[in-house]
């Protein structure tokens, strides 16, 4: 009969969770991984921390993260998909068959949670989630080698060029897409969330957003 060895307890992981929960809910908006975010949210729900806010956070979480998984095994982020839809609306041109309309914009914004936010507090929580989206997208751009490569892939663009390139992307999605349908005021919360996300990620270039 073989010896039965007990597995070492994962104390470090538990301690890390405990440490992070001391900064609830800030830790939730600093985490980019969907699984880790759900663990933090679930822990807050179990401990009855900010229960009223968590009910809406859970709604946004379920709206944002698909149960399906991508090629790398990560949960699909529906908000990133909506971001790409907004890029299309900002850049797309009307044709004989396909025509853009305010309804298409409203549909995309509803997929980002705007139809769910009924109170001022819920709007604040939606703003936090959209700022998280902006920070995530910026981080993905920063890490993308193709995005940051110069012509023909020789070398990498400078920090300033990267900051300006991403700023252009933020304006395209957070401003131009809304201007096309005269919806700047209607969805100003979205614009402000993305601009604040940019300033968080590029504090030395925040004047670009003003």
């Amino acid at each position: 009969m073989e010896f039965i060895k007990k597995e070492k307890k994962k104390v470090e992981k538990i301690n890390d969770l405990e440490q992070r929960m001391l900064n609830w809910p800030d830790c939730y908006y600093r985490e980019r991984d969907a699984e880790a975010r759900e663990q933090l949210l679930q822990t807050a729900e179990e401990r009855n921390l900010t229960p009223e806010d968590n009910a809406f956070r859970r709604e946004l979480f379920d709206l944002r993260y698909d149960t399906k998984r991508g090629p790398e095994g990560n949960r699909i982020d529906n908000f990133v998909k909506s971001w790409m839809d907004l890029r299309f609306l900002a850049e797309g041109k009307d044709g004989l068959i396909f025509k853009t309309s305010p309804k298409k914009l409203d549909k995309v914004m509803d997929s980002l949670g705007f139809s769910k936010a009924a109170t001022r507090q819920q709007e604040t929580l939606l703003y936090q989630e959209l700022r998280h989206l902006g920070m995530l997208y910026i981080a993905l751009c920063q890490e993308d080698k193709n995005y940051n490569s110069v012509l023909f892939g020789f070398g990498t663009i400078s920090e300033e060029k990267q900051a300006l390139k991403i700023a252009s992307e933020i304006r395209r999605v957070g401003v131009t897409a809304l201007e096309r349908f005269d919806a700047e005021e209607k969805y100003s919360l979205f614009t402000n969330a993305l601009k604040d996300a940019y300033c968080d990620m590029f504090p030395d270039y925040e004047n670009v957003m003003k």
Side-chain angles (χ1 to χ4, degrees), residues 41-64:
L41 178 56
Q42 184 175 338
T43 301
E45 291 170 335
E46 292 171 352
R47 298 180 183 183
N48 203 34
L49 303 175
T50 61
E52 293 182 3
D53 289 348
N54 289 343
F56 191 66
R57 285 193 183 99
R58 174 59 68 177
E59 282 191 59
L60 292 178
F61 183 92
D62 292 340
L63 178 67
R64 180 170 180 177

Side-chain angles (χ1 to χ4, degrees), residues 35-101:
E35 302 290 352
R37 296 192 83 205
E38 184 167 36
Q39 183 184 27
L40 291 168
L41 178 56
Q42 184 175 338
T43 301
E45 291 170 335
E46 292 171 352
R47 298 180 183 183
N48 203 34
L49 303 175
T50 61
E52 293 182 3
D53 289 348
N54 289 343
F56 191 66
R57 285 193 183 99
R58 174 59 68 177
E59 282 191 59
L60 292 178
F61 183 92
D62 292 340
L63 178 67
R64 180 170 180 177
Y65 298 107
D66 206 310
T67 54
K68 298 178 181 178
R69 296 181 181 273
E72 297 181 358
N74 298 324
R75 293 180 68 169
I76 294 174
D77 190 333
N78 291 318
F79 279 21
V80 173
K81 291 169 60 178
S82 297
W83 181 291
M84 304 310 293
D85 290 336
L86 287 170
R87 283 190 63 184
F88 180 81
L89 289 176
E91 301 170 355
K93 295 181 179 180
D94 292 337
L96 294 175
I97 299 178
F98 179 83
K99 292 185 181 296
T100 55
S101 70

Side-chain angles (χ1 to χ4, degrees), residues 14-166:
I14 296 175
N15 287 342
D16 179 62
L17 177 62
E18 293 297 327
Q19 189 66 32
R20 298 181 73 181
M21 289 306 298
L22 294 176
N23 295 313
W24 176 264
D26 290 345
C27 60
Y28 182 69
Y29 295 108
R30 289 199 299 267
E31 177 58 55
R32 54 189 281 180
D33 180 75
E35 302 290 352
R37 296 192 83 205
E38 184 167 36
Q39 183 184 27
L40 291 168
L41 178 56
Q42 184 175 338
T43 301
E45 291 170 335
E46 292 171 352
R47 298 180 183 183
N48 203 34
L49 303 175
T50 61
E52 293 182 3
D53 289 348
N54 289 343
F56 191 66
R57 285 193 183 99
R58 174 59 68 177
E59 282 191 59
L60 292 178
F61 183 92
D62 292 340
L63 178 67
R64 180 170 180 177
Y65 298 107
D66 206 310
T67 54
K68 298 178 181 178
R69 296 181 181 273
E72 297 181 358
N74 298 324
R75 293 180 68 169
I76 294 174
D77 190 333
N78 291 318
F79 279 21
V80 173
K81 291 169 60 178
S82 297
W83 181 291
M84 304 310 293
D85 290 336
L86 287 170
R87 283 190 63 184
F88 180 81
L89 289 176
E91 301 170 355
K93 295 181 179 180
D94 292 337
L96 294 175
I97 299 178
F98 179 83
K99 292 185 181 296
T100 55
S101 70
K103 289 184 179 180
K104 293 185 182 298
L105 175 65
D106 290 337
K107 184 177 180 180
V108 175
M109 301 311 281
D110 285 349
S111 71
L112 290 170
F114 274 88
S115 60
K116 293 183 175 292
T119 67
R120 182 65 61 87
Q121 180 59 14
Q122 288 178 342
E123 288 180 352
T124 299
L125 295 171
L126 177 59
Y127 160 85
Q128 292 176 327
E129 194 66 24
L130 293 174
R131 186 173 68 171
H132 180 276
L133 168 66
M135 294 176 69
L136 173 64
Y137 195 86
I138 291 170
L140 294 175
C141 289
Q142 290 175 322
E143 297 164 5
D144 191 317
K145 292 182 179 180
N146 293 327
Y147 188 90
N148 293 288
S149 64
V150 295
L151 191 62
F152 304 120
F154 295 107
T156 304
I157 60 177
S158 65
E159 178 185 299
E160 181 179 6
K161 288 185 178 180
Q162 182 194 72
L164 294 177
K165 185 176 182 180
I166 294 177

